[in-house]
Amino acid sequence: MRRLAARLCVFALLAGAFALAPGAARAQYPLWVEDPSVLADGETALRIGADYARVGRGIELYRFPSLYWKTGVGGVGEGIIVFNLGEVNQDGDEQGWDIESFSVASKLRLHESASPGKWDTSLAFGVKIPSSDTSKGVGVDATDFHARMLAARNIGKTRIILNGGVGILEKVTNLWGQDDILEWGAAAVTPIGKRGEVMLELSGNTSSSRGPSSLLALAGVRHRLHNGNSWDAYARWGLTGQSDNVAFGVGYTINAELFPSRVIVVETESLERAALEELLSGKLAHLSDEDKQAIREFFAAEGGAAGGE
């Protein structure tokens, strides 16, 4: 009988440190839509990007850094932070850098299908914090609330993602008041090769006091590296002449683990001995003490559950 006394790695516990961990779950940005899947507890993804947008005749917007950070919470949700610095260049006149947007959001998983052809669903909601200097033309210094339902499923190798929800926007033209808008988006993410992805998206929203309704299209690519991190690039353009007329951007996403695992080594010898004693006191309890002792000695001699080396 083969020796059963061996040391095995049984499980991992969280420890306080920050280390790279390849293979974090799907990171959505630069897509507007969010995938309902969530990161495992303690895993995180940080995208650092740079963007250029032409938002009107003679008006250009530069964003750097464009940060998108998310971390898994309990395996059932995510915390999300979006932070952008930007500068408006109008007819060659630079207005100066300032915070364009700062948002805090969360995502709660509602249903995760065990079948790849079924729908996964989550609920996402977030708040945009007023932090912009409107004198520089960057962003809107107002508090906005957004909530949306997220759904996704796989059709073959393609991931289909659907989002729909509402936005409650603080009016910037009046001292009091709000605008209620509908927001929606649909995207398809298809793998190319072993590490590549192609991203296509259509998103939009209804009109408000800040502007008419908009409809945006996006096309992008993502390449995953050996260490689990990834590069992406995208182009986005307005189909109705509203919002950004055209925009380009690149980003680098770092997948990491906030609390890297430390391995606990367990003596399977002790576990096997306990299992044998449970068997002797259970199904084999009818045996005499002499027979039980003979079984213990046999396993000990073979280096098994009850034995030493």
Side-chain angles (χ1 to χ4, degrees):
M1 183 176 183
R2 295 183 177 179
R3 298 178 62 85
L4 299 177
R7 291 180 174 87
L8 298 176
C9 297
V10 179
F11 58 89
L13 293 178
L14 299 177
F18 188 84
L20 294 181
R26 302 177 180 92
Q28 276 68 63
Y29 212 82
L31 295 176
W32 178 83
V33 299
E34 278 281 344
D35 194 293
S37 63
V38 299
L39 294 171
D41 187 28
E43 289 190 0
T44 190
L46 171 65
R47 181 186 184 272
I48 306 171
D51 307 85
Y52 163 83
R54 191 177 71 238
V55 296
R57 186 182 299 274
I59 302 177
E60 299 174 320
L61 173 63
Y62 301 90
R63 298 184 182 101
F64 182 80
S66 175
L67 302 178
Y68 174 90
W69 176 81
K70 61 193 289 188
T71 187
V73 180
V76 296
E78 287 179 348
I80 302 172
I81 294 177
V82 179
F83 177 84
N84 296 330
L85 287 180
E87 181 187 51
V88 169
N89 186 317
Q90 186 168 1
D91 295 325
D93 183 17
E94 298 179 352
Q95 306 297 313
W97 290 87
D98 197 70
I99 298 174
E100 183 200 17
S101 65
F102 178 38
S103 302
V104 178
S106 61
K107 178 166 58 175
L108 178 64
R109 184 174 63 200
L110 300 179
H111 174 71
E112 183 178 31
S113 175
S115 173
K118 303 297 183 180
W119 289 96
D120 302 327
T121 57
S122 289
L123 173 66
F125 48 91
V127 176
K128 176 185 172 296
I129 300 172
S131 53
S132 302
D133 184 354
T134 54
S135 65
K136 296 181 179 180
V138 179
V140 178
D141 191 35
T143 302
D144 301 333
F145 174 81
H146 300 268
R148 46 177 146 146
M149 285 292 298
L150 321 176
R153 62 170 294 185
N154 293 328
I155 300 179
K157 295 182 178 181
T158 300
R159 182 76 166 172
I160 303 298
I161 309 170
L162 303 177
N163 284 192
V166 298
I168 302 175
L169 314 181
E170 180 184 351
K171 284 192 173 181
V172 296
T173 55
N174 301 329
L175 183 59
W176 305 105
Q178 68 183 41
D179 288 320
D180 300 330
I181 65 171
L182 298 177
E183 302 174 304
W184 61 271
V189 181
T190 302
I192 52 173
K194 293 183 178 180
R195 294 190 175 88
E197 288 180 347
V198 172
M199 302 172 287
L200 300 174
E201 179 186 63
L202 195 65
S203 62
N205 60 263
T206 57
S207 61
S208 70
S209 61
R210 300 183 191 177
S213 60
S214 65
L215 183 63
L216 299 171
L218 179 146
V221 293
R222 178 180 291 120
H223 177 71
R224 302 188 185 278
L225 305 177
H226 291 279
N227 60 4
N229 301 337
S230 62
W231 285 98
D232 66 73
Y234 76 92
R236 185 181 64 242
W237 57 96
L239 301 179
T240 60
Q242 308 302 329
S243 190
D244 295 353
N245 291 339
V246 63
F248 304 94
V250 295
Y252 183 74
T253 299
I254 302 171
N255 294 320
E257 193 175 5
L258 287 176
F259 309 103
S261 60
R262 60 183 176 88
V263 175
I264 295 180
V265 177
V266 178
E267 290 277 0
T268 57
E269 187 175 344
S270 301
L271 296 178
E272 293 290 343
R273 185 182 299 112
L276 176 60
E277 291 299 331
E278 181 179 355
L279 180 63
L280 292 175
S281 61
K283 293 184 177 180
L284 300 182
H286 62 282
L287 296 178
S288 65
D289 292 340
E290 292 79 5
D291 291 338
K292 291 180 181 178
Q293 185 59 32
I295 293 175
R296 293 188 183 98
E297 291 175 356
F298 171 78
F299 275 89
E302 294 294 325
E309 295 295 327

